[in-house]
Amino acid sequence: MNQLESLRQHTVVVADTGDFESMRAFRPTDATTNPSLILKAVQKEAYRPLLDRAVRDYRNESLTHVMDRLLVSFGTEILKIVPGRVSTEVDARLSFDTRGTVERGRTIISWYEAAGIPRERVLIKIASTWEGIQAARVLQAEGIRCNMTLLFSLVQAVACADAGAQLISPFVGRIYDWYKKSAGKDWDEAANAGIDDPGVKSVSRIYEYYKTYGIPTEIMGASFRNVGQITALAGSDLLTISTELLAELEQAEGDVPLRLTPERAAQAKPERITADEITFRTMLNEDAMATEKLSEGIRAFAADARKLDGLLGAAATA
């Protein structure tokens, strides 16, 4: 048995890609996308027809409308490959706009449903800002399921759960990046690997909290830098993994031991956290890593959304 097969025994494997052929090769249950992944995909000749079709069919609409139509087109094609769900991201430029996020989420779901896809197979991906979390509260109440992304701290996870979010995507690799950069020449890779990786520790704490308090929100570790981070989280509800790391897991023989279990989580006895706005903003502000990585992530996704706008605009005038 290879490590990918072994991992599937403990955790739902999700593909973190916009590439259809990779999904067919690795057979994930779900798939996640974001504007960065779609931007990368549409620059390949194989996916150019999807971009051209969106531009042609919605020529008289705004670039924002065309971009969301393109994301839904990708999601629709992905759902022909994966048996589970696809995550489609709301424009990061709405990360601090609750009403705008709600409206965009409703629109995206309506387009999927018009294509014959039930809303249960779609997760609306939203940044885990306070405003984004309140948007998720509204959408979830309407039966629109949300995947909370750009999540770097326990207080974000607690607030997402309080809002009834279907799923959270805590970022492992970006947390690791921050601590490694902060330590500089004093960084000890061996001492910060596997279960001792700071990103792994963060997700493990969230897992312990959720399982201790019987929180149903799903946990999907994301943003991995190496296979060791993935195998250290075996037992997480889901893990979304790049095609490069899926290939490494598939090529490596051996068993992946179960690391996270509700029984072990209960032994941690984490302290309960209040999910009100003041607590959220105070705790997030006190966490330099989470504050910086959340802001950086929003800026990066927004920049790629603008690049995608540029591609769509260029295609419309070609």
Side-chain angles (χ1 to χ4, degrees):
M1 182 180 293
N2 63 50
Q3 289 188 348
L4 182 56
E5 292 170 337
S6 181
L7 180 65
R8 290 187 202 274
Q9 296 182 326
H10 310 308
T11 294
V12 174
V13 172
V14 180
D16 195 12
T17 181
D19 183 75
F20 304 155
E21 294 310 313
S22 295
M23 293 176 205
R24 292 189 179 96
F26 294 110
R27 300 174 291 103
T29 301
D30 294 353
T32 59
T33 66
N34 59 48
S36 302
L37 292 173
I38 301 303
L39 175 65
K40 183 178 178 181
V42 295
Q43 294 180 73
K44 297 179 180 179
E45 197 60 36
Y47 302 108
R48 183 73 189 196
L50 285 174
L51 184 145
D52 291 338
R53 187 174 68 197
V55 169
R56 182 185 68 245
D57 291 351
Y58 306 103
R59 183 174 294 276
N60 296 323
E61 302 289 348
S62 66
L63 281 177
T64 294
H65 184 104
V66 178
M67 182 174 74
D68 282 349
R69 286 287 190 178
L70 176 63
L71 297 181
V72 171
S73 293
F74 263 87
T76 302
E77 293 302 316
I78 287 168
L79 288 174
K80 295 176 184 178
I81 302 169
V82 302
R85 303 168 296 187
V86 69
S87 292
T88 296
E89 189 152 344
V90 170
D91 193 327
R93 290 169 287 187
L94 294 174
S95 294
F96 302 105
D97 182 347
T98 298
R99 181 190 295 179
T101 298
V102 169
E103 291 174 353
R104 197 69 65 86
R106 288 170 177 161
T107 298
I108 289 170
I109 282 293
S110 72
W111 290 342
Y112 274 112
E113 290 183 323
I117 295 168
R119 61 178 56 190
E120 293 77 19
R121 295 197 69 197
V122 180
L123 295 172
I124 300 299
K125 207 170 176 185
I126 301 170
S128 299
T129 57
W130 180 258
E131 294 80 6
I133 293 168
Q134 302 322 301
R137 187 185 300 277
V138 174
L139 292 170
Q140 286 283 162
E142 298 175 2
I144 299 173
R145 301 177 181 187
C146 299
N147 170 356
M148 306 308 295
T149 189
L150 292 174
L151 194 147
F152 303 96
S153 66
L154 179 57
V155 72
Q156 287 175 287
V158 171
C160 289
D162 183 71
Q166 179 72 28
L167 181 148
I168 61 169
S169 295
F171 278 29
V172 177
R174 297 193 192 195
I175 294 174
Y176 162 88
D177 293 343
W178 189 91
Y179 281 99
K180 184 174 181 178
K181 181 179 179 180
S182 180
K185 61 181 178 58
D186 296 324
W187 178 258
D188 185 336
E189 186 67 34
N192 291 283
I195 60 172
D196 296 314
D197 182 294
V200 170
K201 285 181 176 180
S202 180
V203 178
S204 298
R205 281 194 295 271
I206 293 169
Y207 182 92
E208 290 169 354
Y209 190 96
Y210 274 22
K211 302 310 176 187
T212 296
Y213 294 109
I215 293 169
T217 298
E218 301 167 62
I219 303 167
M220 180 171 71
S223 169
F224 295 104
R225 298 292 178 260
N226 55 64
V227 164
Q229 292 172 338
I230 297 167
T231 57
L233 290 172
S236 179
D237 300 326
L238 309 94
L239 296 172
T240 183
I241 306 169
S242 69
T243 54
E244 294 80 9
L245 292 177
L246 285 171
E248 279 192 45
L249 286 164
E250 189 175 60
Q251 291 160 13
E253 293 186 4
D255 182 54
V256 175
L258 180 62
R259 296 288 189 184
L260 303 180
T261 69
E263 294 74 24
R264 293 175 195 166
Q267 297 171 10
K269 296 184 174 65
E271 181 181 348
R272 194 108 200 195
I273 297 173
T274 305
D276 63 88
E277 183 177 0
I278 292 174
T279 301
F280 176 90
R281 294 193 185 279
T282 300
M283 292 186 68
L284 186 62
N285 183 67
E286 290 176 351
D287 188 335
M289 176 277 298
T291 300
E292 291 174 24
K293 297 309 287 186
L294 175 59
S295 297
E296 179 185 272
I298 291 169
R299 288 194 299 270
F301 282 158
D304 282 341
R306 286 190 289 271
K307 290 177 185 175
L308 192 52
D309 280 349
L311 277 179
L312 291 166
T317 57

